[in-house]
Amino acid sequence: MRMDPKVRRRITQIPDDQWVAIKYPHAIWDEDEKAWISDAEVAEIGYTAFTPDKARTVTARMIVRRVRRLNPRAGQGQQILPGMPDEITYRYHPVFADSPHPMLAAEEEHRDHAICEQGVAGIIDGPLAHLPSADFSASAAWAVLAAISQNILRALGALASHARARGATLRRDLISVPASTARTGRGDLTLRGIAGWYAEEACLALHTATRPSARGPAPGTA
């Protein structure tokens, strides 16, 4: 949902005791409380959408995930909601849904969908940007090549500790590397990159993971 004034007002109407901590990155399980200690919480409240069009007006659930901001001061585009204390600021992610599942399950499903949508957006913005072709066979071949390149690109991202990066980021940091080529007297081809380049660590990690010579001899070999 777009964070317009109506949505913001509705979020401020959620009672403080309705927010439930969820298992989120860096969350800690508290054995005494039998609950997750997390900087992310979820709550829900009813919401009526499309009110300008009476024929399309519908009331369903607005499920909101909020994440405590690292910066204690609200920044541009992430203002403190009216009624919220200044010392505690959050980023809010509202979802409008009619899912019959419990709140936490419905919110987790939405996050899974978002991950899939990012992957689809990445391949559409990348290799599938050339489709469709006027020739059916060419489109079919390109679709297969797009799937292969996408799988390879995601594998490279995982090896370079960029598993969550978008496709455009991986292509920029791991494929379109700003470097010049140089050939030594023995004929070896060397890439000379920019000193202090921000993606140097990721590229070196990928190089070590994909080249046997960089990892050293295989076990059991001389």
Side-chain angles (χ1 to χ4, degrees):
M1 301 178 69
R2 186 167 58 90
M3 287 290 287
D4 58 26
K6 179 183 176 182
V7 171
R8 291 178 180 274
R9 287 194 300 270
R10 195 62 176 144
I11 291 176
T12 62
Q13 296 170 3
I14 300 176
D16 290 338
D17 59 359
Q18 295 299 307
W19 292 98
V20 179
I22 62 173
K23 183 181 179 181
Y24 205 63
H26 311 302
I28 301 174
W29 177 255
D30 190 315
E31 287 291 346
D32 296 331
E33 297 290 336
K34 300 299 181 182
W36 288 103
I37 306 301
S38 172
D39 66 348
E41 300 172 313
V42 176
E44 74 170 290
I45 193 170
Y47 185 84
T48 301
F50 315 119
T51 51
D53 187 347
K54 297 300 182 182
R56 300 178 59 215
T57 298
V58 59
T59 299
R61 309 163 66 186
M62 183 171 73
I63 301 176
V64 185
R65 171 169 48 92
R66 71 179 185 182
V67 181
R68 189 184 297 269
R69 298 191 60 224
L70 298 179
N71 187 344
R73 305 303 303 169
Q76 184 178 3
Q78 296 180 350
Q79 294 85 3
I80 302 173
L81 289 181
M84 295 294 179
D86 291 349
E87 64 274 11
I88 300 178
T89 58
Y90 296 92
R91 288 180 288 113
Y92 291 86
H93 306 273
V95 179
F96 186 64
D98 61 353
S99 171
H101 298 151
M103 178 185 69
L104 296 183
E107 193 279 333
E108 186 175 5
E109 287 175 357
H110 172 74
R111 277 188 284 145
D112 291 341
H113 291 164
I115 293 174
C116 294
E117 289 170 359
Q118 287 181 354
V120 172
I123 193 172
I124 291 176
D125 186 48
L128 288 185
H130 297 275
L131 291 179
S133 170
D135 186 283
F136 179 82
S137 298
S139 294
W142 193 266
V144 173
L145 293 175
I148 294 173
S149 66
Q150 176 75 356
N151 289 337
I152 294 176
L153 186 65
R154 301 315 308 185
L156 294 180
L159 291 173
S161 300
H162 276 39
R164 292 183 176 273
R166 297 176 64 91
T169 301
L170 295 177
R171 289 191 292 272
R172 182 192 65 214
D173 293 354
L174 304 179
I175 306 299
S176 302
V177 179
S180 60
T181 58
R183 192 175 295 277
T184 65
R186 294 181 299 176
D188 295 334
L189 191 64
T190 303
L191 286 178
R192 293 180 176 176
I194 301 174
W197 185 46
Y198 72 94
E200 177 182 356
E201 184 177 350
C203 286
L204 291 177
L206 179 60
H207 173 78
T208 302
T210 55
R211 291 180 60 86
S213 59
R215 297 194 299 265
T221 61

